[in-house]
Amino acid sequence: MTSMPVASREAAPLPIAALMGAMVSIQIGATFAKTLFPVIGAQGTTTLRLVIGALMLIAVLRPWQTRPSRATLPWLVAYGVTLCALNLLFYAALARIPLGVAVALEFSGPLLVATLTSRRASDFAWIALAVAGIVLLSPFIRSLQPLDPIGVMLALAAGGFWALYIVLAQKAGAELGTRTTAYGMAIAAMLVLPFGVAEAGSALLAPSILVSALLVGLFSSALPFFLEMVALTRMPARIYGTLTCLEPGLGALAGFLFLRENLTMPQLAGIAAVIVAAAGTALTSKPPVPSPE
């Protein structure tokens, strides 16, 4: 058996560390965001997250260097609209249910896309497992800490928009590449402004709020985007897709450590079922789906 070249063996830990760092960063950003809800609400927080995230990505990616064609523009606008709706729904869900549960339910979107694009019989097993996990996370399961039904529905709706986001990202990204994210985030930021102003008003410009919002934008958009680019260029697609399935677990851990969100055994089992279903799907499907930075 031939040994792995030294350069490859030494580089292998870097993309894994980068991807894990990106996922941890996203969950830390979500915990910062949730602390802003009592002050400026979910819509106000979504507004600052998208606006600051857009400014950071524009500064890094310089999207004006690649302008969209007329054929791509409709896909790009639809992509931005979807990104706006996805974030509004997810943060609205996050205001009502624990972080780990919201992330797990949102994963129903990419799971749906991955299974629909594959014809293997084994995919039905992953679908069944994911459905079982979602049922365990539903408000119909008796628990000492029942979940808010509206929060569950909002998280599932966010998952639906994540599925749509995947399709539109591939359409717009075919021409614009990584700059698609900067364009889409800018469109989403403009669309979300009326919602944020209506809910929070001038509180959006309070210095203390802006400092926290900068942290949300950094940890939720700029930093994970950079780290994921490092991972994607150095890691096989299947490994990437499998590792990203850990996000619901990381969300549950971040919620427990930073937000004191305790989950029941059925809820933890539901999150575990979603993680296993997502990992199984990633191992047997095509290249991984993009995450909504």
Side-chain angles (χ1 to χ4, degrees):
M1 180 182 295
T2 58
S3 61
M4 182 184 297
V6 175
S8 299
R9 186 167 63 243
E10 292 177 348
L14 175 62
I16 295 176
L19 182 56
M20 293 300 295
M23 292 189 292
V24 170
S25 178
I26 290 172
Q27 302 311 321
I28 291 176
T31 61
F32 276 119
K34 197 160 186 174
T35 61
L36 291 175
F37 290 171
V39 185
I40 58 175
Q43 294 180 9
T45 304
T46 307
T47 299
L48 288 180
R49 179 256 199 266
L50 288 176
V51 170
I52 292 175
L55 292 174
M56 289 180 175
L57 289 177
I58 288 171
V60 172
L61 297 176
R62 302 176 182 179
W64 59 85
Q65 294 181 349
T66 304
R67 296 185 180 182
S69 64
R70 290 185 179 182
T72 300
L73 190 59
W75 294 113
L76 186 60
V77 172
Y79 169 82
V81 171
T82 301
L83 190 57
C84 176
L86 190 162
N87 279 273
L88 279 171
L89 288 167
F90 179 73
Y91 275 23
L94 198 58
R96 294 172 174 270
I97 59 178
L99 174 58
V101 174
V103 175
L105 291 171
E106 189 190 28
F107 251 72
S108 61
L111 273 172
L112 176 64
V113 173
T115 52
L116 287 179
T117 56
S118 181
R119 304 291 183 179
R120 296 179 178 86
S122 61
D123 290 331
F124 290 103
W126 304 128
I127 294 173
L129 185 59
V131 170
I134 291 172
V135 169
L136 287 171
L137 294 172
S138 74
F140 305 108
I141 299 297
R142 292 185 178 181
S143 171
L144 295 176
Q145 295 177 302
L147 296 173
D148 185 298
I150 297 177
V152 170
M153 294 305 297
L154 288 169
L156 289 173
F161 274 96
W162 191 354
L164 184 60
Y165 165 94
I166 293 164
V167 176
L168 295 173
Q170 292 171 343
K171 294 287 186 180
E175 178 181 273
L176 299 172
T178 57
R179 291 189 172 97
T180 306
T181 306
Y183 275 114
M185 191 76 78
I187 294 170
M190 290 186 289
L191 291 173
V192 80
L193 270 174
F195 295 94
V197 172
E199 182 170 41
S202 59
L204 293 173
L205 301 177
S208 59
I209 298 298
L210 287 177
V211 171
S212 297
L214 282 170
L215 293 174
V216 173
L218 175 64
F219 284 106
S220 297
S221 297
L223 183 57
F225 177 84
F226 171 76
L227 291 174
E228 282 204 350
M229 287 300 100
V230 172
L232 279 169
T233 57
R234 296 170 172 84
M235 178 183 292
R238 184 169 294 182
I239 296 177
Y240 173 88
T242 305
L243 288 177
T244 54
C245 300
L246 295 174
E247 283 201 42
L250 292 174
L253 180 61
F256 174 76
L257 292 176
F258 302 114
L259 300 173
R260 298 181 180 179
E261 294 176 342
N262 295 312
L263 301 177
T264 64
M265 287 305 297
Q267 291 166 359
L268 290 171
I271 292 174
V274 171
I275 291 174
V276 173
T281 302
L283 287 170
T284 58
S285 65
K286 295 177 182 180
V289 295
S291 60
E293 304 302 345

